[in-house]
């Protein structure tokens, strides 16, 4: 008993020494790593042994012996503040309940992200959606061989197990009766590391992460390669939009849409360059995720400017500008009306569920959490020191956080319109103007017809700029297009002999209104199913054309060739969108009375538009319903109701005329 008491006393004294040696550096946990040889970590291939002591938020110390550590990452390994991978001798619940029990964990440096929170915010965004695995984000201060090295994020290794990618694990070795249909963990990997194969059509480099390189059998490699190629063949086939014959038969559409949206919301220019996906046993569909490596997302990559020629990624879709990998797949999917609609509707659902507020709250929470630690981190590494691809450098941490929050808000606003613009549309109806101001936007640049003096040019669309507002007035079988600011009409000043293909190239201008001057009269001709029109001048028979298709402001609008390219040349194609002067809004079923004898209401629950009146027998006038592009989408008599349930979400305008006076009301479906 005396011996046991003595040993217990020695143990307690030893633990007191350990606790005194290993303490928190800030209010975050602290990780102490001491290599057995006392040297640093210089390889990302070879592990070396170390001891690890973890001090949690309460100051409790947990010691781990016989731990291995090595470097990790591709580009990030070359930074001054380096990321690491640790491997325990046995599987450990390193982060506690609700997290994986595993040997391998990552220590992310987040060196290229001055907020150090982009990966954590993305993981939270993934959890907000349907994505099943979202990497851990536990922050800690780290000390290596007695030297403080900064703020690190403890995260999962992307591998197959419970609380990670929780799919069926295949036995090793396999035999002839083994079910090799799953699971598989895959990555479209632009670095082409590890056990990698190329797909047959797009030559996408697909890495097999699981089964691991030293355990996978040739039969398994052949199976999963053939299966991914079957998906790709269905994607490029003539029947690719068919739900049973096309690519949708081989993908889990829920995770596909949410993974894609997370890539766009985060503006991750490498989101297609590195894309994780997986296949479960006895399930033909490929599942998408997890989200990984987002430290240079959210407008934190200078390649947007240096290689893509943009000032920012805030008004860009990644499917248009990101680096390839799985991007070729997604570009093909965007040609499928189902995909177009699914992306838009799911994005609206996420917004309505509070995604932006959720992400902003997560940023605020992490900002509070990291305050003490980030100060210590940047005393070592420098807050305005360029580490990787940072777009901007500031002298304060709060400024980086503000930039991140601003980007999330502005980019999410942009995406709603960008996805709306990609919606499948019905063939364009003949243009029928209402009592509105319109903006006329080029189909490619989405910039508006505007004025430079009395010359007609293209300018960035500004809904508050009255020189971009046009009244479109019916004159016989044609239209006069009158500028709101100047009250002058769009005019084709071409002189001399004119015809559809001759004497073209004169810049359009404005002139004093004259309904009898055919130079001011236009036909508005619907084209295809894109929702756009040609503007055809009656006198010259020329088409309004954006000079050279330039995206620059002040680009002239020309009187140009009228031929078979009218429907295909985006220089000649224009959207016509309502911009106001809407007299009355109705929303949330609030009644609007004009005049007092009757009222118009929209019921958002029933999705029905209807009038009410004390004298319903007077409701004999017709009501037209337009979408936000100014297209007529339906009409009804005022004593009837009009169902909006078949129309997509968006802004609509109801217009009617009583006693020669036209009234309008705007509402949201």
């Amino acid at each position: 008993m005396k011996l046991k008491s003595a040993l217990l006393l020695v143990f307690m004294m030893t633990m007191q020494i350990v606790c005194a040696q290993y303490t928190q550096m800030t209010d975050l946990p602290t990780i102490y790593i001491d290599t057995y040889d006392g040297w640093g970590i210089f390889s990302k291939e070879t592990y070396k042994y170390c001891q690890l002591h973890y001090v949690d938020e309460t100051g409790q110390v947990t010691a781990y012996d016989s731990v291995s550590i090595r470097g990790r990452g591709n580009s990030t390994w070359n930074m001054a503040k380096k990321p690491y991978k640790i491997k325990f001798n046995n599987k450990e619940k390193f982060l506690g309940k609700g997290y994986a029990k595993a040997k391998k964990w990552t220590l992310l440096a987040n060196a290229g992200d001055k907020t150090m929170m982009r990966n954590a915010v993305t993981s939270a965004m993934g959890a907000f959606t349907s994505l099943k695995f979202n990497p851990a984000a536990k922050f800690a201060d780290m000390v290596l061989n007695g030297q403080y090295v900064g703020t690190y994020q403890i995260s999962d290794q992307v591998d197959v197990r419970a609380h990670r990618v929780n799919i069926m694990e295949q036995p090793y070795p396999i035999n002839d009766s083994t079910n090799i249909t799953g699971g598989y963990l895959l990555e479209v990997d632009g670095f082409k590391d590890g056990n990698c194969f190329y797909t047959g059509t797009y030559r996408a480099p697909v890495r097999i992460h699981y089964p691991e390189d030293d355990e996978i059998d040739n039969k398994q490699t052949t199976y999963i390669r053939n299966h991914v190629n079957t998906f790709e063949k269905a994607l490029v086939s003539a029947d690719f939009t068919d739900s049973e014959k096309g690519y949708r038969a081989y993908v889990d559409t829920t995770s596909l849409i949410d993974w894609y949206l997370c890539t766009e919301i985060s503006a991750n220019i490498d989101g297609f360059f590195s894309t994780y996906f997986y296949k479960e046993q006895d399930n033909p569909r490929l599942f998408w995720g997890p989200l990984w490596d987002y430290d240079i997302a959210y407008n934190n990559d200078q390649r947007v400017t240096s290689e893509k020629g943009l000032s920012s990624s805030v008004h860009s879709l990644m499917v248009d500008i990101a680096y390839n990998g799985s991007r070729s797949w997604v570009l093909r999917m965007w040609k499928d009306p189902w995909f177009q609609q699914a992306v838009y509707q799911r994005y609206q659902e996420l917004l309505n569920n509070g995604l932006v507020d959720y992400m902003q709250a997560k940023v605020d929470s992490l900002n509070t959490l990291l305050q003490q630690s980030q100060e210590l981190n940047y005393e070592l590494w420098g807050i305005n020191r360029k580490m990787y691809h940072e777009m901007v450098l500031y002298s304060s941490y709060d400024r980086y956080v503000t930039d991140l929050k601003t980007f999330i808000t502005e980019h999410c606003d942009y995406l709603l319109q960008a996805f709306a613009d990609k919606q499948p549309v019905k063939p364009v109806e003949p243009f029928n103007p209402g009592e509105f101001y319109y903006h006329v936007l080029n189909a490619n640049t989405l910039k508006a017809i505007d004025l430079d003096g009395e010359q007609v040019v293209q300018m960035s669309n500004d809904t508050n700029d009255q020189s971009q507002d046009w009244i479109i007035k019916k004159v016989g079988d044609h239209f006069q297009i009158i500028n709101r600011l100047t009250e002058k009409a769009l005019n084709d000043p071409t002189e001399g002999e004119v015809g559809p293909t001759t004497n073209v190239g004169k810049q359009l201008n404005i002139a004093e209104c004259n309904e009898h001057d055919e130079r001011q009269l236009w036909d508005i001709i619907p084209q295809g199913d894109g929702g756009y029109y040609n503007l055809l001048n009656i006198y010259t028979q020329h088409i309004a054309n954006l000079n050279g298709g330039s995206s620059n402001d002040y680009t002239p609008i020309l009187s140009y060739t009228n031929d078979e390219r009218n429907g295909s040349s985006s220089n000649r194609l224009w959207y016509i969108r309502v911009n106001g002067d809407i007299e009355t809004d109705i929303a949330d079923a609030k009644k609007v009375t004009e005049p007092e004898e009757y009222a118009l209401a929209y019921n958002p629950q029933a999705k029905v538009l209807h009038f009410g009146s004390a004298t319903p027998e007077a409701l004999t006038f017709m009501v037209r319903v337009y979408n936000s592009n100014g297209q007529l989408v339906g009409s009804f008599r005022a004593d009837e109701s009009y169902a909006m349930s078949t129309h997509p979400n968006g802004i609509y305008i109801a217009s009617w005329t009583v006693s020669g006076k036209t009234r309008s009301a705007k509402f949201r479906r």
Side-chain angles (χ1 to χ4, degrees):
M1 293 295 293
K2 290 182 179 179
L3 179 60
K4 288 184 178 179
S5 297
L7 289 173
L8 179 60
L9 179 61
V10 170
F11 174 76
M12 292 176 64
M13 291 176 63
T14 301
M15 289 305 297
Q16 288 175 352
I17 293 171
V18 168
C19 290
Q21 181 181 357
Y22 299 110
T23 59
Q24 285 177 266
M25 300 196 68
T26 69
D27 54 356
L28 291 184
T30 303
I31 299 173
Y32 291 86
I33 293 176
D34 297 286
T35 60
Y36 286 167
D37 62 8
W39 292 87
I41 296 94
F42 306 111
S43 171
K44 66 172 188 171
E45 284 80 32
T46 304
Y47 283 100
K48 63 165 51 180
Y49 283 106
C50 65
Q51 287 184 322
L52 186 151
H53 292 85
Y54 180 75
V55 188
D56 69 14
E57 294 92 337
T58 68
Q60 180 176 338
V61 180
T62 305
Y64 301 92
D65 204 356
S66 299
V67 180
S68 302
I69 186 169
R70 67 170 175 83
R72 66 165 306 278
N74 289 299
S75 302
T76 52
W77 177 243
N78 297 318
M79 299 183 200
K81 182 185 177 188
K82 297 187 180 298
Y84 301 102
K85 178 185 289 186
I86 56 174
K87 182 170 68 173
F88 293 100
N89 195 38
N90 299 301
K91 294 179 180 179
E92 299 284 354
K93 278 271 188 182
F94 188 35
L95 295 183
K97 187 177 180 180
Y99 293 94
K101 184 176 184 180
K103 291 184 178 181
K104 295 178 181 178
W105 298 81
T106 62
L107 300 174
L108 302 180
N110 291 313
D113 171 15
K114 289 296 192 293
T115 70
M116 297 186 288
M117 65 174 69
R118 281 174 165 82
N119 278 314
V121 169
T122 302
S123 181
M125 174 174 58
F128 191 90
T129 70
S130 67
L131 299 182
K132 293 182 179 179
F133 168 58
N134 299 286
K138 179 79 171 181
F139 288 92
D141 301 306
M142 183 166 151
V143 178
L144 177 61
N145 289 331
Q147 298 294 317
Y148 170 73
V149 291
T151 307
Y152 277 73
Q153 177 186 333
I154 307 169
S155 191
D156 293 286
Q157 169 75 11
V158 181
D159 61 12
V160 173
R161 67 186 64 253
H163 297 294
R164 289 189 175 170
V165 182
N166 192 12
I167 58 177
M168 180 65 69
E169 296 185 46
Q170 299 193 47
Y172 175 78
I174 65 170
N175 56 45
D176 291 342
S177 63
T178 301
N179 184 345
I180 63 170
T181 63
Y184 294 91
L185 175 60
L186 310 167
E187 178 192 8
V188 176
D189 181 8
F191 288 108
K192 309 173 185 67
D193 288 337
N195 183 9
C196 197
F197 65 86
Y198 291 88
T199 60
T201 302
Y202 288 117
R203 306 300 294 165
V206 178
R207 179 180 178 182
I208 305 174
H209 283 276
Y210 180 84
E212 296 181 6
D213 294 0
D214 58 351
E215 294 186 355
I216 193 167
D217 186 276
N218 286 336
K219 291 181 181 178
Q220 293 166 306
T221 300
T222 299
Y223 171 83
I224 194 59
R225 181 178 63 240
N226 289 343
H227 190 81
V228 173
N229 276 313
T230 299
F231 149 72
E232 192 177 76
K233 288 177 182 176
L235 180 63
V236 300
S237 72
D239 295 321
F240 81 106
T241 63
D242 189 282
S243 61
E244 296 181 357
K245 298 177 182 178
Y247 70 98
R248 275 186 279 159
Y250 300 97
V251 299
D252 173 68
T253 56
T254 300
S255 62
L256 168 67
I257 297 301
D258 280 354
W259 159 78
Y260 172 67
L261 283 172
C262 288
T263 302
E264 291 290 3
I265 294 166
S266 64
N268 186 4
I269 199 171
D270 281 341
F272 305 123
F273 187 79
S274 172
T275 300
Y276 279 93
F277 60 113
Y278 54 93
K279 183 186 180 299
E280 184 55 285
Q281 192 174 87
D282 294 326
N283 190 330
R285 302 181 188 276
L286 300 171
F287 291 76
W288 302 78
L291 306 171
W292 185 253
D293 201 10
Y294 280 67
D295 56 326
I296 59 174
Y298 305 93
N299 205 42
N300 189 39
D301 191 337
Q302 68 177 6
R303 291 177 298 171
V304 170
T305 58
S306 63
E307 297 180 16
K308 303 299 181 180
L310 303 171
S311 60
S312 166
S313 56
V314 67
H315 292 143
S316 295
L317 288 174
M318 293 303 102
V319 76
D320 294 332
I321 71 168
Y323 294 99
N324 202 14
S326 62
R327 177 171 170 260
S328 296
W329 293 347
V330 179
L331 282 170
R332 177 66 170 171
M333 292 172 186
W334 263 117
K335 296 180 180 179
D336 179 6
W338 172 86
F339 186 84
Q340 298 165 11
Q341 192 166 13
V343 167
Y344 183 50
Q345 290 181 347
R346 176 57 173 160
Y347 186 62
Q348 286 184 307
E349 182 180 355
L350 291 174
L351 292 183
N352 292 336
N353 289 342
L355 173 64
V356 175
D357 288 343
Y358 175 82
M359 293 178 69
Q360 299 287 18
K362 186 66 177 179
V363 172
D364 289 339
S365 174
L366 289 169
N367 185 24
T368 301
L369 176 71
L370 292 171
Q371 272 304 311
Q372 288 187 21
S373 185
Q374 65 84 14
E375 289 182 7
L376 198 61
N377 181 82
Y378 289 119
E379 284 179 13
L380 176 63
W381 296 112
I383 191 72
N384 58 357
R385 175 183 176 183
K386 192 172 183 64
M387 298 289 276
Y388 191 42
H389 285 323
E390 297 97 319
M391 290 273 282
V392 291
L393 296 173
Y394 298 121
S395 58
S396 77
Y397 181 75
D398 287 344
R399 184 66 187 274
Y400 290 108
V401 173
T402 298
D403 266 13
L404 174 58
K405 293 186 67 176
T406 300
F407 178 82
I408 290 171
T409 298
E410 292 181 354
H411 187 58
C412 286
D413 286 345
Y414 160 78
L415 289 177
L416 185 61
Q417 185 61 56
F419 294 149
D421 288 341
K422 285 180 171 286
Q423 286 306 285
V425 294
K426 299 175 182 178
V428 185
E429 299 286 342
F431 185 76
N432 194 345
E435 294 292 316
F436 313 127
Y437 293 114
Y438 294 94
H439 276 210
V440 184
L441 309 178
N442 180 259
N444 183 46
T445 67
L446 296 182
K447 292 191 173 184
I449 292 182
D450 201 342
L451 301 179
D452 180 17
E454 295 203 342
Q455 300 297 303
V456 178
V457 297
Q458 164 189 266
M459 294 292 286
S460 296
N461 188 38
D462 182 353
T463 56
N464 296 315
D465 187 347
Q466 292 191 5
S467 68
Q468 296 181 11
D469 283 342
W470 299 86
I471 300 167
I472 301 180
K473 177 182 177 183
K474 190 81 171 175
V475 179
D477 294 331
H478 310 298
F479 300 95
Q480 192 175 36
I481 304 173
I482 302 169
N483 186 261
R484 177 182 184 180
L485 184 66
T486 64
E487 298 184 353
K488 293 184 177 182
L490 184 66
N491 181 74
D492 187 339
T494 305
E495 298 178 354
E497 295 294 326
V498 291
T501 61
T502 60
N503 198 12
V504 298
K506 186 73 172 178
Q507 185 173 4
L508 300 182
N509 64 5
I510 53 174
E512 294 293 340
C513 290
N514 181 353
E515 293 183 359
H516 303 291
D517 186 350
E518 288 189 340
R519 296 174 185 272
Q520 298 181 21
L521 298 182
W522 302 81
D523 281 342
I524 300 178
I525 304 170
Q527 284 290 357
D529 59 359
Y532 31 67
Y533 298 86
N534 294 138
L535 304 180
L536 171 67
N537 187 261
I538 299 306
Y539 178 79
T540 64
Q541 290 297 295
H542 293 169
I543 297 288
N545 181 88
L546 177 65
N547 187 24
S550 172
S551 61
N552 295 331
D553 286 349
Y554 295 100
T555 300
I557 309 299
L558 305 181
S559 169
Y560 208 69
T561 304
N562 170 12
D563 59 19
E564 68 278 357
R565 296 188 63 230
N566 288 348
S568 59
S569 172
S570 60
N571 300 346
R572 311 179 192 181
L573 298 173
W574 306 90
Y575 291 109
I576 302 178
R577 292 183 172 168
V578 172
N579 192 50
D581 178 28
I582 306 302
E583 296 182 8
T584 311
D585 286 351
I586 57 174
D588 300 326
K590 294 180 180 179
K591 292 185 178 181
V592 179
T593 58
E594 177 56 39
E596 294 181 356
E597 290 81 7
Y598 63 89
L600 174 64
Y602 174 65
N603 186 323
Q605 286 75 40
K607 298 180 176 58
V608 170
L609 190 67
H610 63 92
F611 282 84
S613 175
T615 55
E617 64 275 6
L619 299 176
T620 58
F621 52 89
M622 292 299 296
V623 184
R624 293 177 177 269
V625 182
Y626 299 86
N627 64 18
S628 59
N629 291 332
Q631 293 175 278
L632 180 67
V633 298
S635 61
F636 66 102
R637 214 171 89 145
D639 59 352
E640 301 172 343
S641 61
Y642 183 74
M644 294 294 299
S645 57
T646 60
H647 297 296
N649 292 338
I651 299 295
Y652 291 85
I653 300 97
S655 178
W656 64 96
T657 301
V658 178
S659 301
K661 189 170 185 178
T662 299
R663 298 297 183 189
S664 304
K666 180 174 65 175
F667 64 99
R668 180 182 293 275
R669 152 73 166 88

